[in-house]
Amino acid sequence: MLPRGRPRALGAAALLLLLLLLGFFLLGGHLASFPCALPPRVPPDGRPRGAAACDPHPQADLGGHNRSDCVLPRPLPPKCELLHVAIVCAGHKTSRDVITLVKSLLFYRKNPLHLHLVTDAVARNILETLFHTWMVPAVRVSFYDADELKPQVSWIPNKHYSGLYGLMKLVLPGALPPDLARVIVLDTDVTFAADIAELWALFAHFSAPSCPPLPDEQVIGLVENQSDWYLGNLWRNHKPWPALGRGFNTGVILLWLDRLRQAGWKQMWKLTATQELLTLPATSLADQDIFNAVIKGHPALVRPLPCVWNVQLSDHTLAERCYLEAADIKAVHWNSPKKLRVKNKHVEFFRNLYLTFLEHDGNLLRRELFGCPSPRPPEAERLQQALAQLDEEDACFEFRQQQLTVHRVHITFLPHQPPPPRPHDVTLVAQLSMDRLQMLEALCRHWPGPMSLALYLTDAEAQQFLRFVEASEVLSARQDVAYHVVYREGPLYPINQIRNVALAQALTPYVFLTDIDFLPAYSLYDYLRASIEQLELGSGRKAALVVPAFETLHYQFSFPSSKADLLALLDAGSVHAFSLAPRPVRLRRHHEWPRGHTPTDYARWREAQAPYRVQWAVDYEPYVVVPRDCPRYDPRFVGFGWNKVAHVMELDAQEYEFLVLPEAFTIHLPHTPSLDISRFRSSTTYRGCLQALKDEFLQDLSRHYGAAALKYLTALQQP
């Protein structure tokens, strides 16, 4: 119950409030004509600055670049405003890291994004392929050559593990397009936990621009460094670069680019760095040291940002003071060389956040931003139209849909050293899934040459594969094996699409097209190179060198070291010509499939001393060595059946001659049947759809090769 007199007091307060509001509208109503209702400032020199001197009508150019006119502070940028993000990325590992960062951005974002990636050649090759195949709506990607920027920072000695690339954020104002006004700059080891639009909105809190610009107006947004590094008290004789108090961390930066350029940023940071390097031997924290030294001399340049936008998990972090008091965390920065292994009593919480995006299915991030016009690239538009024409009631809908699916592709997922150029070199090309990883170590022991292997994996499986390789002494020692991840999507196994990825990434003049469950003879790599030279294939001769295929039903057996040893095993019944082995029922495949390899003529091979020519026959599917520019596999064949047969048929249509090598061999090892083989066996619909694909392939072959393709139609019609 309210005491007496309170209603009168409330009424008086309300009357006073009404009078104040009336006075505001009477005296200050003229300000309403300006979108930025900020009081004019007239400094002692008499020149108007800030809102009083700004264009009151902010605009954006047709290219989507921001203009830093006076804008009204707002909680979030407009729904469809394009946000710009710059990232420096170099090498294989950092290319993996940046994908996790981008996933976290895409998960929360509600605005179109333009990613500006400063990369070396390795990272550009990886990321161009990834974003081209990812096809995320409302995301643009621009690349900038890091090698062109190196001379601008190479004179600065740097002890940080990031090397020259850790200094390149200093030159972004000059490297990015001159009409780009604002950008958020991120390290690759940052993980977002909020919409980046909230961070972009903090540009509105920078001090209003001056016209003409002053040298000391807010142009850089940074979070305070969450350690005592710049206080110089971490250990004896610790002498850090100068900083304002604890300094600032540059893992997350808001750069007002046009103001920076007008303020003479390039001259400013170079002069500061030159002066400090007279007494300091090198930077310890790369660009961060130089940013802080500049801010020390020009403190008005910086706009401090809330700590939650860069929660720093370094070795000596004080971040706990931030996140224990904050309502929520916006971005986590793994700024320790130990990364996820950093010591922190809450590290499990942060690690789980990171792992959420590391293993998140990137296909789920291909979502439209409703209400924001986002024209698709022509390829994506054609794909969408083709998918729209499919009939979901068609019994073969899954097959049609799978062959149109564009899979995300991450080439050279692990560090890779390309082989030196050799005129007769051969790359082993194969594809595999998670259930065949156990074959890799044995394959590396048998084949000492370069390999290009494509793996069909989920995002989570890709991380399991990474740990598998890192834990293997055999695999981690091989830098000439290129692993390419094709991310899983759809119910059927896109075997020929995966093969084409591996084939496209081979770098040698010739490729050995095989399957992952075969082990080549120990001497095969050297023998193939010698055979290519001996047969003078480099002179333009179109030949497919056939490597005879054998198989064993024994999970453990002594691998033959020579043709003589193999013949002894053949005579003993331990090894058989591929698909001709007598099998117990439990080990049988769907059928014996003798036509797949019979044309190789194993009886002749036993006695052969020189390569011999064989003719194409129906269903022939040998393992062959061909030039790298050979026909690609037909991507319509998904799941089980006819995927290699169609490829060999096209080799024949292009007049490749099939030459069987007398000393070459490869042996198939037993394994459990794949899911697609099981579906082929059990489903008449599956087999019917495969037959439909075969018929369509033959029709296309006839249209492409004309009368030369008639022999295939005739041969296939015979019983």
Side-chain angles (χ1 to χ4, degrees), residues 222-524:
L222 293 167
V223 171
E224 184 183 44
N225 198 48
Q226 293 165 1
S227 79
D228 289 339
W229 175 272
Y230 286 109
L231 299 182
N233 58 9
L234 292 182
W235 57 79
R236 184 179 296 180
N237 299 325
H238 175 218
K239 189 179 180 183
W241 278 55
L244 199 64
R246 281 200 169 84
F248 294 89
N249 183 277
T250 56
V252 177
I253 315 175
L254 271 59
L255 289 183
W256 207 305
L257 293 170
D258 53 357
R259 294 190 193 180
L260 271 170
R261 297 174 186 124
Q262 292 167 359
W265 169 252
K266 182 177 180 180
Q267 295 75 18
M268 193 183 300
W269 76 259
K270 283 190 172 182
L271 178 61
T272 300
T274 302
Q275 290 174 340
E276 296 302 329
L277 286 170
L278 295 175
T279 56
L280 292 165
T283 60
S284 295
L285 300 180
D287 66 90
Q288 183 170 302
D289 285 340
I290 298 175
F291 269 101
N292 274 289
V294 172
I295 292 169
K296 174 74 172 179
H298 306 274
L301 291 175
V302 69
R303 172 72 191 189
L305 303 179
C307 66
V308 292
W309 284 109
N310 187 351
V311 174
Q312 301 148 39
L313 300 179
S314 59
D315 292 324
H316 305 284
T317 184
L318 302 173
E320 187 175 339
R321 299 178 183 178
C322 169
Y323 60 75
L324 289 184
E325 297 179 2
D328 55 358
I329 293 168
K330 306 290 188 181
V332 176
H333 185 192
W334 301 90
N335 62 322
S336 164
K338 300 175 184 175
K339 301 305 177 189
L340 299 188
R341 300 190 309 276
V342 68
K343 292 183 179 180
N344 180 296
K345 61 183 178 182
H346 302 113
V347 71
E348 200 62 32
F349 168 82
F350 296 110
R351 190 182 290 133
N352 288 338
L353 172 67
Y354 175 82
L355 293 176
T356 296
F357 296 111
L358 179 71
E359 300 186 352
H360 186 77
D361 184 351
N363 301 322
L364 302 178
L365 299 170
R366 288 170 168 160
R367 57 176 183 257
E368 299 280 350
L369 294 182
F370 295 113
C372 294
S374 177
R376 294 187 181 95
E379 181 184 350
E381 189 63 37
R382 288 192 297 270
L383 175 65
Q384 197 64 30
Q385 292 173 0
L387 287 168
Q389 292 173 1
L390 296 181
D391 180 8
E392 293 191 27
E393 301 302 319
D394 180 1
C396 300
F397 173 76
E398 279 189 351
F399 285 81
R400 311 289 185 197
Q401 184 183 48
Q402 188 75 63
Q403 63 188 267
L404 289 174
T405 300
V406 176
H407 295 267
R408 278 181 301 139
V409 176
H410 187 142
I411 60 174
T412 54
F413 189 74
L414 296 176
H416 174 242
Q417 188 66 42
R422 295 173 182 162
H424 309 113
D425 208 358
V426 184
T427 295
L428 185 149
V429 172
Q431 57 76 34
L432 67 151
S433 53
M434 198 69 181
D435 59 346
R436 298 290 186 265
L437 284 188
Q438 72 277 5
M439 292 294 301
L440 290 178
E441 287 193 354
L443 185 59
C444 282
R445 293 189 179 98
H446 280 250
W447 182 270
M451 289 189 268
S452 180
L453 305 177
L455 300 95
Y456 192 53
L457 306 172
T458 65
D459 294 72
E461 287 174 341
Q463 299 309 311
Q464 296 175 40
F465 163 69
L466 174 62
R467 293 190 291 271
F468 179 82
V469 173
E470 290 176 341
S472 167
E473 292 183 8
V474 174
L475 301 182
S476 58
R478 291 289 297 270
Q479 296 292 300
D480 58 350
V481 180
Y483 299 102
H484 318 290
V485 174
V486 179
Y487 285 101
R488 184 183 293 274
E489 184 176 8
L492 297 171
Y493 194 85
I495 186 166
N496 277 358
Q497 294 182 45
I498 306 170
R499 283 182 172 133
N500 284 339
V501 169
L503 179 54
Q505 297 305 316
L507 301 176
T508 56
Y510 298 92
V511 289
F512 172 35
L513 306 179
T514 184
D515 280 335
I516 197 65
D517 44 10
F518 280 80
L519 287 182
Y522 287 109
S523 60
L524 185 61

Side-chain angles (χ1 to χ4, degrees), residues 586-625:
R586 63 183 179 86
L587 290 176
R588 286 183 185 271
R589 289 192 286 272
H590 66 284
H591 52 52
E592 298 302 337
W593 198 242
R595 296 190 299 187
H597 293 267
T598 297
T600 298
D601 195 348
Y602 288 93
R604 183 176 179 183
W605 180 83
R606 291 181 67 105
E607 308 298 332
Q609 300 295 318
Y612 58 92
R613 185 171 181 175
V614 295
Q615 299 297 319
W616 173 87
V618 174
D619 295 332
Y620 192 31
E621 53 174 6
Y623 296 103
V624 295
V625 177

